[in-house]
Amino acid sequence: MTSKQTSFPKEKIRVLLLEGLHPISISRLQEEGFKVETHKGAMSEEELLEVIGGVHLLGIRSKTDISARVIRKGKRLLSIGAFCIGTNQIDVHTAKSHGIPVFNAPYSNTRSVAELVIADIIMLFRGLFDKVRDAHEGEWSKSASGSVEVRGKTLGIVGYGHIGRQVSVLAEALGMRVIFYDIADRLAMGNAIRAVDLRDVCEQADVITLHVPGTPDTKGMITAEKIGWMKKGAFLINTSRGSVVDLNALREAIMSKKLAGAAVDVFPEEPKSKAERFTTPLQHLPNVVLTPHIGGSTEEAQRNIGLEVAGKMIRFTNNGSTEGAVNFPNVVLPELVEHHRILHVHENVPGVLQKVNALFGDARINVAAQHLRTYEDIGYLIMDISKTATGKIMQSLKDLPETIKVRALF
Ligand code: NAI
């Protein structure tokens, strides 16, 4: 829905979208009345330095690096949208210290990954990959031996977050018994049962699927020892991060028939482009499904990412809400109805709120609502004030030495 609040006419808000973003992101921002320019590919630092001075909202994917130099030159920049999952390509620290929130879409592809896992489970239980390949090669591998239904089997989920929980729901719909392990206290979905620990999952599960983040704690989590705890003939699925599984240990387990197969979508080293060869110790093993990190790669996920990131940028531009920003205090603000709203980003040092309040007191301006959130070394102060007061206070706020950025919405 188009919102009315903005700091200046919407057609003056210039949006630059790079890397051929999904058309839904373009139309969403255009519908809002912003002036949108698009660019098919990524831009180099030099190219960005030339144009960034006139840009209010910048949208990129993973191939454009946003350096400190670019951010410093982006004098009008209000926010940056990473229309993808990760934000490593952006100097989010410098963005924060310039009062620029960075938004991304970490969960837009949750369902897509969960569906791939369900496909993997069925493929593994039926030995589909080898049978399909044989058929292509003219071999008729018609056999029921070792081919089983998933109904009634136990699925062990390690990491019961967004994806783990979706998999849980879908697997139960297929008649599987679900157990899970997570370091955090997670509410069990449906009839899923929380396992005592990782060993408990390994010992009970017919198939284990990993959905943990890539952290130092999960690096090399699945070792030969953990595989040793698993049932003979069980399966392992990894669509989380390449660092989580010791691939040589997994190879050994498949060669020795300890495990009856595996499906792996993520690898410690992945080719950067189609031109690079892909190698892994898991190639040419029986009943091993290898996919090129496509768990989250669907049309729907791309569309969801477009809608989610564009939506977050629009909300911030129009009403100051920063929910989901990766480098900024997160606030969800009410719609602005009868007031003007001042957004004040400042250095998080003692005494700023007192100084700001003194400015309002001296100018005899009544504050209708005030929110303050801090994150690391910055504070984000939002004040709703009467419509006639904005002009009087903006310059004094800008002049405060601790002020990083100040913007008015009306
Ligand atoms: P999430 O953050 O919602 O859930 C992760 C869960 O793992 C949390 O509940 C957390 O408490 C738990 N966890 C963390 N450390 C753990 C440990 N040591 N042992 C057990 N549980 C632990 O993340 P989400 O969105 O579910 O993503 C899961 C993984 O999937 C991530 O690694 C992500 O990078 C990956 N992913 C892969 C995609 C693909 O294309 N293959 C696409 C999207 C995400």
Side-chain angles (χ1 to χ4, degrees), residues 161-163 182-183 186 211-213 217 221 239 241 265 293 296:
H162 289 78
I163 298 173
D182 198 296
I183 47 166
R186 297 273 180 245
H211 300 293
V212 291
D217 189 37
M221 184 183 192
T239 59
R241 286 295 185 94
D265 187 48
H293 203 150

Side-chain angles (χ1 to χ4, degrees), residues 85 106-107 109-110 113 116 158-165 181-184 186 210-215 217-218 221 239-241 244 265-266 293-297:
I85 310 297
Y107 305 118
N109 55 13
T110 297
V113 181
L116 181 71
V158 178
Y160 205 62
H162 289 78
I163 298 173
R165 290 198 295 269
Y181 167 67
D182 198 296
I183 47 166
R186 297 273 180 245
L210 306 172
H211 300 293
V212 291
T215 60
D217 189 37
T218 60
M221 184 183 192
T239 59
S240 64
R241 286 295 185 94
V244 178
D265 187 48
V266 287
H293 203 150
I294 39 114
S297 307

Side-chain angles (χ1 to χ4, degrees), residues 149-199:
E149 291 182 355
V150 303
R151 181 170 45 172
K153 305 298 181 301
T154 299
L155 169 65
I157 301 176
V158 178
Y160 205 62
H162 289 78
I163 298 173
R165 290 198 295 269
Q166 279 276 334
V167 172
S168 179
V169 171
L170 296 178
E172 281 201 341
L174 288 172
M176 298 190 82
R177 176 180 166 257
V178 176
I179 57 171
F180 68 91
Y181 167 67
D182 198 296
I183 47 166
D185 208 7
R186 297 273 180 245
L187 182 73
M189 307 295 287
N191 303 310
I193 295 167
R194 191 183 183 100
V196 178
D197 52 23
L198 182 56
R199 183 165 190 149

